[in-house]
Amino acid sequence: MVGMRDVARKAGVSLSTVSLVVNGTGYVSDDMRAKVREAMRALDYIPNELARNLAHNRTNMIGVIVPTIRHPFFATLTAALQREFSARGLRTMLCSTADSDKGEADYVDMLQRHMMDGIVMAAHTAHPSGYWTGIGRPVVAFDRYLGPGIPSIGSDHEQGGRLVARALIDSGAKHVVMVGGPRSQFHDLDAEGAFDAGELAEAGVTTFPTVRYYLTLEHALAAAGVRYDYVEAGEVSDFAGYADAMRDLFDRYDDVDAVVSSDIGASLCVQEAIRRGAAIPRDLQVVAYDGTYLADIAGVRLTAVRQDVDALAAAVAARMTALIEGESGRDGTRARDAAASSAAASETMTDSTAEPAASSVSVGDGRLLGSVTELVPLTLRKGDSTR
């Protein structure tokens, strides 16, 4: 097997010069660098990537933790993250918590032992915020709140709620039913004693920023005098739970004329409506939230609020890269500064639909506890499932 000593002999240079060229460190003259590279080509020398990474205290590996890759949104997001990290010379290691016996704890252990450079956390966690803030290495949350100092990237779900509200109110909807995860997710930070139960229920202080679109939609519908209800389905990986929820919805509400749910829920709603002889959108309007490929193959081209997955993945990758490069600074000071800056730089996104102020959720201190560092705007794609 060809090694660096063979390259050094072939090029007529020292071993240390070859090491500098291979690892891209130190100063080497252009002439010397050309000799080394020519010798490497002549000998078909392939650098030991593991050794190079150890020299730079890097693995070029990012752990990506999602609830399940069976869900179309997380499958699409994972693909986009892989492309973005690959473009930056980084590889991804996937952990699907619902599809594996191993959870995030194994990935955190690998991160702490420098077996990966960072973690993207896009799944729910039962660990308290101190667990994540105490890791001391790069962690970026996606649509989750993990604790102070942990940057979070996500869609502007309050804007998403306003987009749905405007579409349904303008269409003359009379009774809107929302179908989503357990309602307890709307205020799951209660365990940390941040607010009392009443304040939490109103403010939506949560580790799940996605619930803000439901809260925003409810406020807007209430302001417009439109009746609304919420039906709980299972966790994000419980597809059967969503099918059961749709059957229950039609059995419980005979006057429902609009349903809002994820792409999966909306698709199952269309199927159930067709089985029951309801015409879409004349009898029932359906709005999907996510806007993945599933919204186009549900039997009816669904009106959908689309999350910009490519922009989200680019933002996550950019933030992770900044944290990793910062951590390589002396004593990790740059990493800590970058994390603090991420936590403080909450961006306010506005959309052009100019909904009335009453449709916006007033979350008070929830902006500080449970907030998202960077918000990416959404778009409404009009389909054939709304009037």
Side-chain angles (χ1 to χ4, degrees), residues 60-64 85 90-93 117-120 320 324:
N60 293 329
M61 183 74 70
I62 305 297
V64 176
F85 283 128
L90 301 169
R91 293 166 294 174
T92 55
M93 181 181 293
D117 295 333
I119 285 178
V120 177
M320 178 63 73
I324 292 172

Side-chain angles (χ1 to χ4, degrees), residues 284-334:
L284 180 73
Q285 299 187 85
V286 181
V287 178
Y289 198 94
D290 283 340
T292 65
Y293 57 85
L294 195 60
D296 292 323
I297 58 175
V300 173
R301 187 171 181 266
L302 295 172
T303 293
V305 173
R306 281 188 157 173
Q307 299 197 58
D308 191 340
V309 176
D310 290 338
L312 289 165
V316 169
R319 184 56 59 98
M320 178 63 73
T321 302
L323 290 176
I324 292 172
E325 292 176 350
E327 188 181 60
S328 64
R330 182 173 298 177
D331 299 327
T333 300
R334 289 173 60 195

Side-chain angles (χ1 to χ4, degrees), residues 125-145:
T125 176
H127 289 108
S129 62
Y131 174 83
W132 295 99
T133 56
I135 292 173
R137 301 213 60 211
V139 176
V140 175
F142 175 79
D143 259 346
R144 294 292 182 273
Y145 172 76

